[in-house]
Amino acid sequence: KAGVTQTPRYLIKTRGQQVTLSCSPISGHRSVSWYQQTPGQGLQFLFEYFSETQRNKGNFPGRFSGRQFSNSRSEMNVSTLELGDSALYLCASSSGLNPRDTQYFGPGTRLTVL
Amino acid sequence: AQRVTQPEKLLSVFKGAPVELKCNYSYSGSPELFWYVQYSRQRLQLLLRHISRESIKGFTADLNKGETSFHLKKPFAQEEDSAMYYCALIGASNTGKLIFGQGTTLQVKP
């Protein structure tokens, strides 16, 4: 099976702009989780989607949002970008049938905010 | 509060030496514990999870509920084990939410 894919791999934006990141899960997986990875805060959970519904949400401001499509592909959007949003954004997929399913990670999207 | 602590940022050992990467957790309930590994320029990948009780690449980890620990061990380190290791937990009610430790860089010297 093909692994989790994320596009684009690199992005450079300026403060105030918005950005959309995309994640395609492993075929047959219905859950997609998003994480932010920074040197200071490490890996932090953003949100999780299952069957087009947000099932869980981390402690991030409302500028961070996401959605999931009927084919399980997911997008996350960050509006009004701040310098502190510079990070590696990872998505992970799992079957979603068991909350504790193993999550399989994509390569990440490196976002730089200038 | 749910938390995972990896006390060592860097662990440096010689090839053939035993390795123990420490992980302690705080969770009121029965979490599922994982070890993920990230080799240079590769994506984060699952190494093992406590419920499977497997030994992967010679690594094992035992869940000690009394000490709330899930240390990763290998009796003889290899140079190819050099990587970043993350301990993580997921709770019963927190679907899809992995809580990660800060990670430990393992450096195996020849």
Side-chain angles (χ1 to χ4, degrees):
Chain A
K1 280 186 182 179
V4 178
T5 58
Q6 293 186 245
T7 56
R9 294 293 310 278
Y10 302 92
L11 267 177
I12 299 175
K13 294 284 186 180
T14 55
R15 277 183 300 174
Q17 287 187 308
Q18 76 165 18
V19 68
T20 299
L21 313 181
S22 181
C23 173
S24 292
I26 291 171
S27 178
H29 282 187
R30 293 164 61 189
S31 169
V32 173
S33 295
W34 288 88
Y35 296 86
Q36 182 194 64
Q37 185 175 25
T38 59
Q41 300 298 317
L43 282 149
Q44 292 188 290
F45 173 78
L46 281 153
F47 29 65
E48 186 245 1
Y49 285 86
F50 176 76
S51 290
E52 303 178 65
T53 301
Q54 188 182 85
R55 274 200 307 198
N56 205 349
K57 189 177 186 306
N59 297 322
F60 279 81
R63 300 185 297 108
F64 292 82
S65 62
R67 60 178 175 168
Q68 188 179 35
F69 302 95
S70 58
N71 62 358
S72 296
R73 189 177 69 85
S74 177
E75 289 181 346
M76 69 163 278
N77 184 276
V78 189
S79 62
T80 320
L81 283 166
E82 300 177 359
L83 295 178
D85 297 332
S86 293
L88 181 68
Y89 290 89
L90 298 174
C91 80
S93 78
S94 69
S95 73
L97 301 177
N98 183 325
R100 302 185 183 198
D101 279 344
T102 296
Q103 293 183 28
Y104 298 88
F105 283 81
T109 294
R110 172 78 60 187
L111 172 64
T112 303
V113 182
L114 303 176
Chain B
Q2 302 169 16
R3 182 173 293 170
V4 176
T5 303
Q6 295 179 249
E8 304 134 330
K9 289 190 76 171
L10 172 66
L11 184 63
S12 187
V13 301
F14 285 101
K15 177 182 171 183
V19 170
E20 183 179 53
L21 290 90
K22 290 184 168 42
C23 172
N24 289 91
Y25 67 91
S26 171
Y27 184 79
S28 56
S30 293
E32 176 76 20
L33 276 296
F34 302 81
W35 277 99
Y36 278 84
V37 60
Q38 190 166 32
Y39 301 102
S40 179
R41 296 192 188 89
Q42 293 187 28
R43 65 183 66 190
L44 201 59
Q45 57 186 282
L46 178 71
L47 182 61
L48 55 81
R49 55 188 293 175
H50 94 266
I51 200 167
S52 63
R53 298 183 179 276
E54 289 180 293
S55 173
I56 307 293
K57 299 185 180 183
F59 285 98
T60 59
D62 289 319
L63 179 62
N64 185 322
K65 292 185 178 180
E67 295 182 359
T68 59
S69 68
F70 188 56
H71 303 326
L72 184 68
K73 300 177 184 179
K74 184 170 184 177
F76 308 104
Q78 303 299 315
E79 288 181 69
E80 55 265 30
D81 296 329
S82 295
M84 185 74 153
Y85 291 79
Y86 292 95
C87 181
L89 74 77
I90 195 164
S93 58
N94 259 326
T95 56
K97 180 181 179 179
L98 280 166
I99 297 170
F100 285 91
Q102 289 291 89
T104 298
T105 299
L106 174 64
Q107 184 183 74
V108 181
K109 296 178 284 189

